[in-house]
Amino acid sequence: MAAETIWNKETVPKVMKIVSTKLQQRDLITLLLVNPSIHHTLLSHPSLWLVLDFHEMSNAGDRLVSALSLPRYRNVKHINLEFAQDIEDKQLENVKSKCGDSLLDLEILNLNGCQRISDKGIEVVTDTCPKLKVFSIYWNVRVTDVGITHLVKNCRFVVDLNLSGCKNITDKSLHLVADNYQELESLNITRLDIFSQCIKMTDSGLQRILLNCSSLQTLNLYALSTQSASFLSCSLTDEAYKMISRLPHLRFLDLCGAQNLTDDGLSCIAMCKNLVSLNLTWCVQVSDVGVIAIAQGCRSLELLSLFGILGVSDRCLEVLSSFCSNTLTTLDVNGCINIKNRSRDQLLKLFPNLMCFKVHS
């Protein structure tokens, strides 16, 4: 009996503390029902209840309200509602009115794909989480500059922001971000206007970001400048791309589809000495000149995609090999018809550490 008591009071809590940190949220909740001892042990460790994950779940809005009403989630730091179903403004209003205090320590909020959330939802949820650091609202077509105004007003410490696919925001939002988040480290503004009938983001917005946010380490501009029947010209020019050189800490840069990027712009970007990942897929005006400048300036490069660029040849690969052969692990030259030596074995002779030969499929 004594041994069993020691087991229940000492061993079980120690084991549960170790095991529970490796479990998913659903499994933790199931364990609460096993017996009172385990229930007490799990609830005695607040660090286990800092994350709420409703990724792709149905009825997510009501689940969120119910969970935040429980004492164990009083200090939640991370809420994931990515592609969750049945989450809209009214549930976020309920969170604020019923359990808003539970969000006072929230640092990470993922609302990716939550299409029913509008500017009103952004207003009420950001009003309750002043410590927010990471905010992601990928592919929301209802949020406008009004929602971003609420964000920067209510959450002053954001360092990681994903506005990818939010086609109804304009230069005004980027100006707000630049003026209020000067310590920003990661920004994703992929496809802001790709399906719009008018250009909503221009050099002005990006240049303000590049002027004010010198701490940026990750910048994703994938498919931001695209020519189609809906556009008279690309929205960003080489002058904006040149200003990327003002980011001394930049490590990850995605310029896929930057049709106005020239060798001059790329030569300026080569001043970003800490770059480790650079996506130049379909940057159709780039040639050997720009890539050689990158090779000479960015000698820590680990990933480089030149996919679909017709203006590059074996010459740029030779220079890349001279400066980046020990660092490059991913190199995509598929579709570069003027690069003759493109077989896996040929590339490995130039870049012995290559492990990946395709970024785009």
Side-chain angles (χ1 to χ4, degrees), residues 12-29 31-32 38-53 71-78:
V12 170
K14 291 178 181 179
V15 171
M16 291 309 303
K17 183 178 180 180
I18 295 172
V19 172
S20 58
T21 59
K22 311 295 182 183
L23 297 177
Q24 297 294 320
Q25 176 181 299
R26 297 177 187 179
D27 297 324
L28 273 176
I29 294 173
L31 279 175
L32 288 175
I38 290 179
H39 185 281
H40 174 76
T41 298
L42 292 176
L43 292 186
S44 67
H45 295 287
S47 60
L48 298 177
W49 309 102
L50 299 178
V51 178
L52 276 171
D53 188 354
R72 63 176 177 265
Y73 289 114
R74 190 172 292 131
N75 303 112
V76 66
K77 291 186 179 296
H78 182 175

Short mmCIF file of all heavy atoms in Angstrom, two decimals, residues 12-29 31-32 38-53 71-78:
data_model
loop_
_atom_site.label_atom_id
_atom_site.label_comp_id
_atom_site.label_asym_id
_atom_site.label_seq_id
_atom_site.Cartn_x
_atom_site.Cartn_y
_atom_site.Cartn_z
N VAL A 12 3.89 8.94 -10.64
CA VAL A 12 2.91 9.30 -11.68
C VAL A 12 3.03 10.76 -12.09
O VAL A 12 3.10 11.08 -13.29
CB VAL A 12 1.47 8.96 -11.22
CG1 VAL A 12 0.46 9.57 -12.20
CG2 VAL A 12 1.29 7.46 -11.15
N PRO A 13 3.07 11.71 -11.15
CA PRO A 13 3.22 13.12 -11.56
C PRO A 13 4.47 13.40 -12.37
O PRO A 13 4.44 14.15 -13.34
CB PRO A 13 3.25 13.86 -10.21
CG PRO A 13 2.49 12.99 -9.29
CD PRO A 13 2.84 11.60 -9.70
N LYS A 14 5.60 12.75 -11.97
CA LYS A 14 6.84 12.96 -12.71
C LYS A 14 6.73 12.42 -14.13
O LYS A 14 7.16 13.06 -15.09
CB LYS A 14 8.01 12.29 -11.97
CG LYS A 14 8.38 12.97 -10.66
CD LYS A 14 9.52 12.22 -9.97
CE LYS A 14 9.89 12.88 -8.65
NZ LYS A 14 10.97 12.15 -7.95
N VAL A 15 6.17 11.23 -14.25
CA VAL A 15 6.01 10.61 -15.57
C VAL A 15 5.07 11.44 -16.44
O VAL A 15 5.34 11.72 -17.61
CB VAL A 15 5.50 9.16 -15.44
CG1 VAL A 15 5.14 8.61 -16.83
CG2 VAL A 15 6.55 8.29 -14.78
N MET A 16 3.94 11.86 -15.85
CA MET A 16 2.95 12.62 -16.60
C MET A 16 3.51 13.96 -17.06
O MET A 16 3.21 14.44 -18.15
CB MET A 16 1.69 12.84 -15.76
CG MET A 16 0.89 11.56 -15.52
SD MET A 16 0.53 10.64 -17.04
CE MET A 16 -0.33 11.90 -17.98
N LYS A 17 4.34 14.57 -16.22
CA LYS A 17 4.92 15.85 -16.60
C LYS A 17 5.79 15.71 -17.83
O LYS A 17 5.80 16.56 -18.73
CB LYS A 17 5.73 16.42 -15.43
CG LYS A 17 6.30 17.80 -15.73
CD LYS A 17 7.05 18.36 -14.54
CE LYS A 17 7.61 19.74 -14.85
NZ LYS A 17 8.36 20.32 -13.70
N ILE A 18 6.55 14.60 -17.88
CA ILE A 18 7.43 14.36 -19.02
C ILE A 18 6.61 14.01 -20.27
O ILE A 18 6.80 14.58 -21.34
CB ILE A 18 8.42 13.24 -18.70
CG1 ILE A 18 9.36 13.68 -17.58
CG2 ILE A 18 9.22 12.86 -19.95
CD1 ILE A 18 10.25 12.56 -17.06
N VAL A 19 5.69 13.06 -20.12
CA VAL A 19 4.92 12.56 -21.25
C VAL A 19 3.99 13.62 -21.82
O VAL A 19 3.85 13.78 -23.04
CB VAL A 19 4.11 11.31 -20.84
CG1 VAL A 19 3.17 10.89 -21.96
CG2 VAL A 19 5.05 10.18 -20.47
N SER A 20 3.35 14.37 -20.93
CA SER A 20 2.32 15.31 -21.37
C SER A 20 2.87 16.41 -22.26
O SER A 20 2.16 16.95 -23.12
CB SER A 20 1.62 15.93 -20.17
OG SER A 20 2.55 16.59 -19.32
N THR A 21 4.13 16.76 -22.10
CA THR A 21 4.71 17.82 -22.94
C THR A 21 4.85 17.39 -24.39
O THR A 21 5.02 18.23 -25.28
CB THR A 21 6.08 18.24 -22.41
OG1 THR A 21 6.95 17.10 -22.39
CG2 THR A 21 5.97 18.80 -21.00
N LYS A 22 4.74 16.09 -24.66
CA LYS A 22 4.89 15.57 -26.01
C LYS A 22 3.54 15.31 -26.68
O LYS A 22 3.50 14.93 -27.84
CB LYS A 22 5.70 14.26 -25.99
CG LYS A 22 7.00 14.31 -25.20
CD LYS A 22 8.00 15.26 -25.82
CE LYS A 22 9.32 15.25 -25.05
NZ LYS A 22 10.29 16.23 -25.59
N LEU A 23 2.46 15.49 -25.95
CA LEU A 23 1.14 15.12 -26.45
C LEU A 23 0.43 16.27 -27.13
O LEU A 23 0.66 17.45 -26.83
CB LEU A 23 0.27 14.62 -25.30
CG LEU A 23 0.75 13.35 -24.58
CD1 LEU A 23 -0.18 13.02 -23.43
CD2 LEU A 23 0.84 12.17 -25.56
N GLN A 24 -0.46 15.92 -28.07
CA GLN A 24 -1.32 16.91 -28.69
C GLN A 24 -2.40 17.35 -27.70
O GLN A 24 -2.69 16.67 -26.71
CB GLN A 24 -1.99 16.32 -29.93
CG GLN A 24 -1.01 15.92 -31.04
CD GLN A 24 -0.29 17.11 -31.63
OE1 GLN A 24 -0.89 18.17 -31.83
NE2 GLN A 24 1.00 16.95 -31.92
N GLN A 25 -3.00 18.49 -27.99
CA GLN A 25 -4.02 19.05 -27.11
C GLN A 25 -5.16 18.08 -26.85
O GLN A 25 -5.63 17.92 -25.71
CB GLN A 25 -4.56 20.34 -27.73
CG GLN A 25 -5.69 20.98 -26.94
CD GLN A 25 -6.20 22.23 -27.63
OE1 GLN A 25 -5.46 23.19 -27.82
NE2 GLN A 25 -7.45 22.22 -28.03
N ARG A 26 -5.63 17.40 -27.89
CA ARG A 26 -6.75 16.47 -27.73
C ARG A 26 -6.39 15.33 -26.78
O ARG A 26 -7.23 14.89 -25.98
CB ARG A 26 -7.15 15.90 -29.10
CG ARG A 26 -7.66 16.94 -30.08
CD ARG A 26 -7.98 16.33 -31.43
NE ARG A 26 -8.32 17.35 -32.41
CZ ARG A 26 -8.62 17.08 -33.68
NH1 ARG A 26 -8.61 15.82 -34.10
NH2 ARG A 26 -8.92 18.04 -34.51
N ASP A 27 -5.15 14.85 -26.87
CA ASP A 27 -4.72 13.75 -26.01
C ASP A 27 -4.62 14.20 -24.55
O ASP A 27 -4.95 13.44 -23.63
CB ASP A 27 -3.37 13.19 -26.48
CG ASP A 27 -3.46 12.61 -27.88
OD1 ASP A 27 -4.51 12.02 -28.21
OD2 ASP A 27 -2.49 12.75 -28.64
N LEU A 28 -4.17 15.44 -24.35
CA LEU A 28 -4.10 15.97 -22.99
C LEU A 28 -5.48 16.02 -22.36
O LEU A 28 -5.68 15.64 -21.20
CB LEU A 28 -3.50 17.38 -23.01
CG LEU A 28 -1.98 17.51 -22.96
CD1 LEU A 28 -1.60 18.97 -23.08
CD2 LEU A 28 -1.43 16.91 -21.67
N ILE A 29 -6.45 16.50 -23.13
CA ILE A 29 -7.82 16.60 -22.62
C ILE A 29 -8.37 15.22 -22.29
O ILE A 29 -9.06 15.02 -21.29
CB ILE A 29 -8.71 17.33 -23.64
CG1 ILE A 29 -8.24 18.78 -23.76
CG2 ILE A 29 -10.17 17.28 -23.23
CD1 ILE A 29 -8.93 19.56 -24.86
N LEU A 31 -6.62 12.65 -21.30
CA LEU A 31 -5.96 12.19 -20.08
C LEU A 31 -6.62 12.75 -18.82
O LEU A 31 -6.58 12.14 -17.76
CB LEU A 31 -4.49 12.58 -20.10
CG LEU A 31 -3.54 11.69 -20.91
CD1 LEU A 31 -2.14 12.28 -20.92
CD2 LEU A 31 -3.50 10.27 -20.32
N LEU A 32 -7.22 13.92 -18.95
CA LEU A 32 -7.89 14.51 -17.78
C LEU A 32 -8.98 13.60 -17.23
O LEU A 32 -9.32 13.67 -16.05
CB LEU A 32 -8.51 15.87 -18.16
CG LEU A 32 -7.56 17.04 -18.40
CD1 LEU A 32 -8.34 18.25 -18.90
CD2 LEU A 32 -6.80 17.39 -17.12
N ILE A 38 -4.38 11.93 -12.03
CA ILE A 38 -3.81 12.44 -13.28
C ILE A 38 -4.41 13.80 -13.60
O ILE A 38 -3.72 14.73 -14.05
CB ILE A 38 -4.03 11.45 -14.43
CG1 ILE A 38 -3.17 10.20 -14.20
CG2 ILE A 38 -3.70 12.08 -15.77
CD1 ILE A 38 -3.32 9.13 -15.25
N HIS A 39 -5.71 13.93 -13.38
CA HIS A 39 -6.40 15.21 -13.61
C HIS A 39 -5.73 16.32 -12.81
O HIS A 39 -5.40 17.40 -13.33
CB HIS A 39 -7.87 15.06 -13.22
CG HIS A 39 -8.71 16.27 -13.53
ND1 HIS A 39 -8.73 17.39 -12.74
CD2 HIS A 39 -9.55 16.52 -14.55
CE1 HIS A 39 -9.55 18.29 -13.24
NE2 HIS A 39 -10.07 17.78 -14.35
N HIS A 40 -5.50 16.05 -11.54
CA HIS A 40 -4.87 17.05 -10.66
C HIS A 40 -3.45 17.35 -11.10
O HIS A 40 -3.01 18.51 -11.11
CB HIS A 40 -4.88 16.54 -9.22
CG HIS A 40 -4.13 17.45 -8.27
ND1 HIS A 40 -4.64 18.65 -7.82
CD2 HIS A 40 -2.89 17.32 -7.71
CE1 HIS A 40 -3.76 19.22 -7.03
NE2 HIS A 40 -2.70 18.44 -6.94
N THR A 41 -2.71 16.30 -11.48
CA THR A 41 -1.32 16.47 -11.90
C THR A 41 -1.22 17.37 -13.13
O THR A 41 -0.40 18.29 -13.19
CB THR A 41 -0.68 15.11 -12.20
OG1 THR A 41 -0.67 14.32 -11.02
CG2 THR A 41 0.75 15.28 -12.70
N LEU A 42 -2.05 17.10 -14.11
CA LEU A 42 -2.01 17.87 -15.35
C LEU A 42 -2.40 19.33 -15.11
O LEU A 42 -1.76 20.25 -15.64
CB LEU A 42 -2.93 17.25 -16.40
CG LEU A 42 -2.50 15.88 -16.94
CD1 LEU A 42 -3.53 15.33 -17.90
CD2 LEU A 42 -1.13 15.97 -17.62
N LEU A 43 -3.43 19.55 -14.32
CA LEU A 43 -3.88 20.92 -14.07
C LEU A 43 -2.90 21.70 -13.21
O LEU A 43 -2.92 22.93 -13.21
CB LEU A 43 -5.26 20.92 -13.40
CG LEU A 43 -6.41 20.42 -14.26
CD1 LEU A 43 -7.73 20.62 -13.52
CD2 LEU A 43 -6.47 21.15 -15.60
N SER A 44 -2.01 21.00 -12.52
CA SER A 44 -1.04 21.68 -11.66
C SER A 44 0.15 22.22 -12.44
O SER A 44 1.04 22.84 -11.86
CB SER A 44 -0.54 20.73 -10.56
OG SER A 44 0.23 19.67 -11.12
N HIS A 45 0.18 21.97 -13.75
CA HIS A 45 1.26 22.46 -14.60
C HIS A 45 0.68 23.41 -15.65
O HIS A 45 0.30 22.99 -16.75
CB HIS A 45 1.98 21.29 -15.28
CG HIS A 45 2.69 20.38 -14.32
ND1 HIS A 45 3.85 20.75 -13.68
CD2 HIS A 45 2.39 19.15 -13.88
CE1 HIS A 45 4.25 19.76 -12.88
NE2 HIS A 45 3.37 18.78 -12.98
N PRO A 46 0.62 24.70 -15.35
CA PRO A 46 0.03 25.68 -16.27
C PRO A 46 0.69 25.70 -17.65
O PRO A 46 0.05 26.06 -18.64
CB PRO A 46 0.25 27.02 -15.54
CG PRO A 46 0.41 26.64 -14.10
CD PRO A 46 1.09 25.32 -14.10
N SER A 47 1.94 25.33 -17.73
CA SER A 47 2.66 25.37 -19.01
C SER A 47 2.06 24.43 -20.05
O SER A 47 2.32 24.58 -21.25
CB SER A 47 4.14 25.04 -18.82
OG SER A 47 4.29 23.75 -18.27
N LEU A 48 1.26 23.45 -19.59
CA LEU A 48 0.63 22.51 -20.52
C LEU A 48 -0.59 23.12 -21.20
O LEU A 48 -1.10 22.56 -22.18
CB LEU A 48 0.20 21.24 -19.78
CG LEU A 48 1.31 20.43 -19.13
CD1 LEU A 48 0.71 19.24 -18.37
CD2 LEU A 48 2.29 19.94 -20.19
N TRP A 49 -1.06 24.25 -20.71
CA TRP A 49 -2.33 24.80 -21.18
C TRP A 49 -2.16 26.19 -21.78
O TRP A 49 -3.02 27.06 -21.66
CB TRP A 49 -3.34 24.83 -20.03
CG TRP A 49 -3.41 23.50 -19.34
CD1 TRP A 49 -2.84 23.15 -18.17
CD2 TRP A 49 -4.04 22.33 -19.85
NE1 TRP A 49 -3.08 21.83 -17.88
CE2 TRP A 49 -3.82 21.29 -18.90
CE3 TRP A 49 -4.79 22.04 -21.00
CZ2 TRP A 49 -4.31 20.00 -19.07
CZ3 TRP A 49 -5.27 20.75 -21.17
CH2 TRP A 49 -5.03 19.75 -20.22
N LEU A 50 -1.05 26.37 -22.47
CA LEU A 50 -0.75 27.66 -23.07
C LEU A 50 -1.13 27.74 -24.54
O LEU A 50 -1.04 28.80 -25.16
CB LEU A 50 0.74 27.98 -22.92
CG LEU A 50 1.27 28.07 -21.48
CD1 LEU A 50 2.77 28.35 -21.49
CD2 LEU A 50 0.53 29.15 -20.71
N VAL A 51 -1.56 26.60 -25.10
CA VAL A 51 -1.89 26.54 -26.53
C VAL A 51 -3.30 26.02 -26.73
O VAL A 51 -3.70 25.04 -26.10
CB VAL A 51 -0.90 25.64 -27.30
CG1 VAL A 51 -1.29 25.55 -28.77
CG2 VAL A 51 0.53 26.16 -27.15
N LEU A 52 -4.05 26.69 -27.60
CA LEU A 52 -5.36 26.20 -28.04
C LEU A 52 -5.29 26.00 -29.55
O LEU A 52 -5.06 26.96 -30.30
CB LEU A 52 -6.46 27.21 -27.70
CG LEU A 52 -7.03 27.14 -26.29
CD1 LEU A 52 -7.94 28.33 -26.02
CD2 LEU A 52 -7.79 25.83 -26.08
N ASP A 53 -5.47 24.76 -29.99
CA ASP A 53 -5.31 24.44 -31.41
C ASP A 53 -6.64 23.92 -31.97
O ASP A 53 -7.06 22.81 -31.67
CB ASP A 53 -4.23 23.39 -31.58
CG ASP A 53 -3.88 23.16 -33.05
OD1 ASP A 53 -4.55 23.74 -33.92
OD2 ASP A 53 -2.92 22.41 -33.32
N PRO A 71 -10.75 27.71 -16.37
CA PRO A 71 -9.62 28.31 -15.63
C PRO A 71 -8.25 27.91 -16.16
O PRO A 71 -7.30 28.70 -16.10
CB PRO A 71 -9.84 27.80 -14.20
CG PRO A 71 -11.30 27.54 -14.10
CD PRO A 71 -11.70 27.03 -15.46
N ARG A 72 -8.13 26.68 -16.68
CA ARG A 72 -6.80 26.22 -17.10
C ARG A 72 -6.25 27.01 -18.30
O ARG A 72 -5.05 27.00 -18.55
CB ARG A 72 -6.82 24.72 -17.41
CG ARG A 72 -7.70 24.29 -18.56
CD ARG A 72 -7.51 22.78 -18.81
NE ARG A 72 -8.36 22.25 -19.85
CZ ARG A 72 -9.54 21.67 -19.66
NH1 ARG A 72 -10.03 21.57 -18.42
NH2 ARG A 72 -10.24 21.20 -20.67
N TYR A 73 -7.14 27.66 -19.05
CA TYR A 73 -6.67 28.44 -20.20
C TYR A 73 -6.63 29.94 -19.90
O TYR A 73 -6.67 30.76 -20.80
CB TYR A 73 -7.58 28.18 -21.41
CG TYR A 73 -7.43 26.79 -21.99
CD1 TYR A 73 -8.48 25.88 -21.93
CD2 TYR A 73 -6.24 26.40 -22.59
CE1 TYR A 73 -8.34 24.61 -22.45
CE2 TYR A 73 -6.09 25.12 -23.11
CZ TYR A 73 -7.15 24.23 -23.04
OH TYR A 73 -7.00 22.97 -23.56
N ARG A 74 -6.51 30.27 -18.63
CA ARG A 74 -6.54 31.67 -18.23
C ARG A 74 -5.33 32.46 -18.74
O ARG A 74 -5.39 33.67 -18.88
CB ARG A 74 -6.61 31.77 -16.70
CG ARG A 74 -6.90 33.17 -16.18
CD ARG A 74 -7.15 33.16 -14.69
NE ARG A 74 -8.40 32.47 -14.37
CZ ARG A 74 -8.51 31.52 -13.43
NH1 ARG A 74 -7.43 31.15 -12.77
NH2 ARG A 74 -9.66 30.96 -13.18
N ASN A 75 -4.22 31.75 -19.01
CA ASN A 75 -3.00 32.43 -19.46
C ASN A 75 -2.53 31.93 -20.82
O ASN A 75 -1.33 31.89 -21.10
CB ASN A 75 -1.88 32.24 -18.43
CG ASN A 75 -2.27 32.74 -17.06
OD1 ASN A 75 -2.44 31.96 -16.12
ND2 ASN A 75 -2.44 34.05 -16.92
N VAL A 76 -3.47 31.57 -21.68
CA VAL A 76 -3.12 31.03 -23.00
C VAL A 76 -2.26 32.02 -23.78
O VAL A 76 -2.46 33.23 -23.74
CB VAL A 76 -4.41 30.67 -23.79
CG1 VAL A 76 -5.21 31.91 -24.13
CG2 VAL A 76 -4.07 29.89 -25.05
N LYS A 77 -1.25 31.47 -24.48
CA LYS A 77 -0.32 32.31 -25.24
C LYS A 77 -0.42 32.11 -26.75
O LYS A 77 0.04 32.96 -27.52
CB LYS A 77 1.12 32.03 -24.79
CG LYS A 77 1.43 32.52 -23.38
CD LYS A 77 2.90 32.34 -23.05
CE LYS A 77 3.23 32.85 -21.66
NZ LYS A 77 3.02 34.31 -21.55
N HIS A 78 -1.01 31.00 -27.18
CA HIS A 78 -1.02 30.68 -28.61
C HIS A 78 -2.39 30.10 -28.98
O HIS A 78 -2.81 29.10 -28.41
CB HIS A 78 0.09 29.67 -28.91
CG HIS A 78 0.21 29.30 -30.35
ND1 HIS A 78 1.22 28.47 -30.82
CD2 HIS A 78 -0.54 29.60 -31.45
CE1 HIS A 78 1.08 28.30 -32.11
NE2 HIS A 78 0.01 28.98 -32.52
#
